[in-house]
Structures are given as structure tokens and as C-alpha cells.
Amino acid sequence: MPLVSNILSSSLGQKYLMALSGVGLFGFIVVHMLGNLTILAGPAAINEYAAKLHSMGPLLWIARIGLLGMVGVHIWAAVRLTRDNRKARSVQYQGAVDPVDRHRRSKIVSTYASRTMIYSGLIIAAFALFHIAHFTWKIPQINGVEVDFETFYVYEVSAGSDQVAYLTPLPDGVGKEGENAVDVYKMLTTGFKVWWVSIFYVIAVGLLCIHLSHGLSAMFQSLGLKTKAYEKWIDHFACATGWLLFAGYASVPVSILLGFIP
Amino acid sequence: MNLKLKVWRQENADDPGHFGIYMVQDIAPDMSFLEMLDFVNENIIADDGDPIAFDSDCREGICGACSMVINGVPHGGQQGTTACQLHMRHFCSGDTVTIEPWRATAFPVHRDLIVNRTSFDRIQQAGGFISVRTGSVPDANATPVPKEDADLAMDAAQCIGCGACVAACKNASAMLFVAAKVSHLSLVPQGQPERERRAIAMVKQMDKEGFGNCTVTGACEAVCPKEISIDFIGRLNREYGRAILKKGNA
């Protein structure tokens, strides 16, 4: 198939794959943040949201496999492209960038975000792995507290005033993965009370948003959708989205650490 | 004016190379950068030294032969200017000026400031032309070309192939060059029959020559002496996508 080989083996094709997998992952980033923010509406809201998400069954698995595939493609393309780029420019200039038109320096020097995409990306990938081990696999050895998140479950139905749906915890040892609703609220408030978990989280989402501030605008260029007419809008959109996502993500651990969310 | 020059000296492609330091006195501010180098060479020759080798041809900013990185910026960083059109009045007496050759794996250093840019020629030979004779100057309006397309094609055709885009890019990417060449011909009627073949072949040759990829930093556009817009890179991305979809199974 010439089409497939033209995509896989050319630098432009790899850039397309990078951009398209980036679009998909960006979609996940947005939805995940909106989901996280349900915590601001109280414990019942986020627990119910999580239970609904888990009840999607096969759809959830399709989404997970799709995301994993996109992560794979994104990293594969990134590693190949970065390797080619390093090879293409193996000698650096000794002279510091100092154009005779001094005001043009900022146009010639690449942005911090664009130079560090591979590093921010790999750190985010490492964080994502920790994040999944922490809150999805709930490995007790890495959560930094004495309790096991695997024991946090809530009732899904209300029965009188002492059993409120998505609020009242199940007795210890009763809940079962896949059968009972997880007490996400308790897991987050317990998990993010650990200062280093929160700090790692904030640093990682900060890097993610720096990554996106370049990635979101470069994505348009790689797909041939950026022109001077829209350039400013696209760049402002990328920058603003980066900050909005940072605010949205960081607000959860920060609120928990500062005690705004009990 | 007096300058301290730090110039890259390299015997041949295999020599590791080093910086030579030259203290130059009495430079006239009206000299062009290349005339200043001629002046330095005259002094070097008078002292029985080996003159600094550098490329130059037209010396009026249209041939693309001069190729040197002055203080970390290809062509010195004056907007829309080649090194030969950069004048010494932009420097101050007492400055240290660092002069290096283009740095890119696809542009190996030949000697001192001269690099081998035949990789650009090979990209052109891969498809940057129209295979048949399209006739001499046609009658006016015999081949209608929309004004917008003609203007855009002319903007792209301004590329002189000097390689400053590659030299400025942190990835030594030739995207701006290839984008200008592909866009130029894909915008005019004469370029249509080979449009897809050209885009695929030129991109393939670009990859083969060992140029890097576009990270959209915009450095190429900023240093281009012909101010070719980075928009053409977006256009190349569209052209290539269109080409592989149309010719995908051919």
C-alpha cells in the first residue's frame, strides 16, 4: 500500500500521525478535566460520574484501547522525528543569536515549549503511568498513606437517611471492584493530602500545558490548517487553552491541600 | 571601525576545524559584509596566510550563493537581507563578530565557510520542474491565472535556494525551501499535470538527504532573505496530503 508507506516512512506523514494522535489525546485531556471538576459539585456528583463512566462497559474499553493506541503512535512518531532532527543538526552554533536587527531576536530563537517537547512529553508519559497505578490500579505501596484505596466504596442506591446514594460508604471489605461504586471523592481527598503526590501532579499538568501551548498550534500547521490569516487566533487559542487546562487540573489538588474541599 | 572576528577555519571536509581570531582595523562602515571579508583576506594574503574561503556570486542579494552565519544568525539577521547586502554600519567598533558556516548534516562543510549545498539541487532534480516545454511567453490572457494565485506563486518563486532556512532551523529542516518550490509550481496551470508526483518525490528526496522536520518555530521565515512565508509550509503539508491520497494506490 503506497498510501500507508507514504505516511509511515515520510517525515510529513509522521507529522500527520503526531498531529492526529495529538488531537485525540487533547480530546481526552479536556473530557478528563471536566470529569475531575465534578468534585467541585460535591462527593455525590463525582462518585456518580465515576459510576456512570464505569457502567459503560465495552465502550470504556474501546476508549481505553484507542487512547493507548494514540499514545503509542504519538510516542513512536515523537521518538523517530526527534532522532532525525538530532541527526540533521549535530553541530550547534558557537555564536550567541544576536541579529543586527535586535528586535527580531525573538522571532529567530525558538520558544522554550517547542525545544522541550520530547522532554515534557516523556515526563508526562511517566506521570500518566504513575497516575494510573495510583488511582486506577490503586497500588497501595505508592499512594503515600497507610490506607488501601481498594477499600473505598459507596452505596449506589438510597435507602432511608443512613444510606444515601454515592455518599454513604460501604462497610470495610464489602465493596468489590466492578460491582460497587467507587468512592472517588474519598480517594482523591486522601490521595492528594500527600504533599509530594500533589506537587508531582501540579508539575506534570504544568508540563502538559506547556506541551500543549506549542503542540496545539503546531498541530494545525502539520495538518496544513494554519495560515497567516488565522495564525494569531490559533496561537492565542493554544496559549489560552494551556492556561485554562492548567487552572482546571491544578485546582483539584490545590483545593484539597488547602482544605477548600473537606 | 575596528572589529574582532571569530571565523570558522576548516581545511577540508575531514578536518575537525577551529575558530581563527582576526583583529581587523580600519573597516569602512559602507563596506558590505563580504567586502569586509575581502579586505580581511587581502591583509591575510599580504601576511602570507591562507585566505578565508567563502561563497559569493552576484553580490546584489539575488543569487543565494553567500552563506554564512553571523553572530548566530544566517545572513546576519537584517530583515530580508543576504550577507552580501548587509553593511558594516550595522556593527559597532569594538564588537566581536562570530562567523560560522551553515550547520546541517545535509550541508557538509567543504572548506572554511563554504558548505556543499548539492542536496538542494538533488531535491530540485527530484521534481522541482515541468517536464515538457510549455512554450515561450504566451499571449496575454491565453492561459488565465487568477491574480491571487499568480501573486502567491511569485512569492514562492522568490526563493533563491540559499539554505538560510536550513541553517536557522534547530532541526536543520528544509521544509521552507521545499514548500516554496512545491507551492510555486502547484499554483500555476503549467504545474498541474505533475502536481502530485512532484510533491511526493521532492518530500521523499528531502527526507533522504537527511534534513530534519518542521517544529513550527518560525526561525526559517525570520531569516529568509526573500521573506518566504511559513504559510507555504502549511501549503506543502496540504499538498503532500492531497498527493498521497490521490496517488495513494497508483
Side-chain angles (χ1 to χ4, degrees):
Chain A
M1 281 285 281
L3 178 62
V4 176
S5 77
N6 273 334
I7 293 176
L8 292 182
S9 63
S10 74
S11 58
L12 269 66
Q14 289 165 20
K15 277 284 189 185
Y16 293 160
L17 292 178
M18 179 79 116
L20 290 172
S21 56
V23 175
L25 293 171
F26 171 64
F28 166 75
I29 298 289
V30 171
V31 173
H32 186 44
M33 183 197 72
L34 294 176
N36 287 358
L37 290 180
T38 54
I39 196 172
L40 301 177
I46 191 163
N47 289 345
E48 188 177 351
Y49 163 75
K52 293 258 160 71
L53 204 63
H54 280 134
S55 68
M56 282 162 63
L59 268 180
L60 187 66
W61 276 106
I62 290 171
R64 281 173 170 169
I65 290 165
L67 279 171
L68 197 64
M70 282 190 282
V71 169
V73 168
H74 205 69
I75 294 178
W76 173 80
V79 169
R80 281 195 62 143
L81 291 167
T82 307
R83 191 198 58 193
D84 290 350
N85 292 343
R86 296 262 165 92
K87 237 193 273 170
R89 163 58 70 71
S90 50
V91 185
Q92 302 302 324
Y93 294 110
Q94 300 295 308
V97 176
D98 185 18
V100 292
D101 286 353
R102 299 256 152 82
H103 64 279
R104 305 184 71 242
R105 189 176 184 277
S106 63
K107 291 183 179 168
I108 297 165
V109 178
S110 54
T111 58
Y112 178 76
S114 72
R115 270 177 284 140
T116 53
M117 289 302 270
I118 188 80
Y119 304 114
S120 54
L122 289 174
I123 295 170
I124 293 160
F127 166 76
L129 196 67
F130 168 78
H131 191 58
I132 290 170
H134 188 213
F135 284 141
T136 306
W137 300 331
K138 300 172 194 167
I139 299 172
Q141 288 83 356
I142 60 161
N143 63 20
V145 282
E146 293 290 302
V147 289
D148 185 357
F149 295 162
E150 204 62 77
T151 59
F152 295 175
Y153 291 97
V154 285
Y155 287 104
E156 273 173 76
V157 284
S158 300
S161 59
D162 41 329
Q163 186 190 318
V164 185
Y166 301 117
L167 268 184
T168 315
L170 253 67
D172 266 358
V174 175
K176 241 182 149 181
E177 174 74 45
E179 284 176 25
N180 297 92
V182 180
D183 194 349
V184 179
Y185 184 83
K186 194 174 168 194
M187 188 166 79
L188 292 186
T189 47
T190 317
F192 282 131
K193 281 267 162 60
V194 183
W195 65 271
W196 59 264
V197 170
S198 282
I199 287 180
F200 187 24
Y201 186 92
V202 172
I203 290 174
V205 293
L207 284 174
L208 174 67
C209 298
I210 290 174
H211 193 82
L212 285 175
S213 74
H214 175 76
L216 280 178
S217 76
M219 171 184 98
F220 282 93
Q221 176 79 332
S222 294
L223 295 174
L225 301 173
K226 195 175 176 183
T227 68
K228 281 273 182 286
Y230 308 115
E231 188 185 28
K232 263 199 185 126
W233 290 104
I234 290 173
D235 289 348
H236 288 162
F237 157 78
C239 188
T241 311
W243 278 110
L244 271 178
L245 286 170
F246 180 69
Y249 273 108
S251 66
V252 175
V254 169
S255 307
I256 289 170
L257 265 188
L258 295 180
F260 296 139
I261 296 175
Chain B
M1 61 201 280
N2 306 324
L3 290 179
K4 180 182 172 188
L5 299 186
K6 245 180 100 181
V7 187
W8 185 255
R9 302 306 308 265
Q10 187 172 335
E11 266 310 302
N12 52 51
D14 302 321
D15 181 27
H18 66 279
F19 277 104
I21 308 287
Y22 302 89
M23 307 300 290
V24 193
Q25 316 269 313
D26 302 325
I27 297 169
D30 295 334
M31 285 177 178
S32 76
F33 203 84
L34 300 191
E35 283 164 350
M36 184 273 293
L37 285 180
D38 290 337
F39 177 68
V40 174
N41 278 343
E42 279 168 18
N43 292 337
I44 294 176
I45 293 166
D47 292 344
D48 275 343
D50 203 7
I52 300 160
F54 61 92
D55 257 337
S56 80
D57 191 7
C58 75
R59 299 214 177 190
E60 50 188 14
I62 54 169
C63 77
C66 52
S67 49
M68 55 190 73
V69 171
I70 302 161
N71 286 338
V73 185
H75 294 303
Q78 188 183 17
Q79 187 160 6
T81 308
T82 52
C84 64
Q85 289 296 300
L86 177 67
H87 289 85
M88 297 315 293
R89 54 179 165 269
H90 295 287
F91 297 87
C92 298
S93 197
D95 279 357
T96 300
V97 180
T98 311
I99 312 171
E100 296 164 87
W102 283 176
R103 292 293 190 195
T105 308
F107 288 162
V109 176
H110 205 61
R111 183 186 173 94
D112 297 344
L113 302 174
I114 299 177
V115 295
N116 184 342
R117 282 176 286 184
T118 49
S119 47
F120 265 14
D121 298 339
R122 286 189 293 271
I123 293 176
Q124 274 294 77
Q125 285 157 6
F129 52 83
I130 290 164
S131 299
V132 295
R133 186 170 148 74
T134 55
S136 54
V137 182
D139 285 343
N141 301 329
T143 313
V145 182
K147 172 79 170 125
E148 293 82 1
D149 291 358
D151 286 351
L152 212 51
M154 280 304 289
D155 287 348
Q158 280 202 84
C159 171
I160 51 178
C162 66
C165 45
V166 175
C169 177
K170 73 181 182 65
N171 305 333
S173 169
M175 283 290 275
L176 194 65
F177 168 75
V178 176
K181 296 303 176 192
V182 167
S183 303
H184 159 211
L185 293 177
S186 75
L187 279 160
V188 288
Q190 292 85 348
Q192 297 309 310
E194 293 165 296
R195 188 172 170 183
E196 292 83 25
R197 206 190 309 166
R198 175 182 307 118
I200 294 176
M202 290 182 81
V203 167
K204 200 170 187 177
Q205 190 64 34
M206 171 182 83
D207 289 346
K208 205 168 136 190
E209 296 292 346
F211 290 104
N213 311 287
C214 178
T215 312
V216 205
T217 66
C220 51
E221 168 186 65
V223 302
C224 177
K226 296 297 149 190
E227 301 181 275
I228 308 269
S229 165
I230 198 171
D231 272 9
F232 286 112
I233 294 183
R235 182 173 284 276
L236 173 63
N237 282 323
R238 287 200 297 281
E239 281 291 328
Y240 186 74
R242 181 182 175 282
I244 59 173
L245 287 175
K246 274 192 94 170
K247 290 273 170 183
N249 295 309

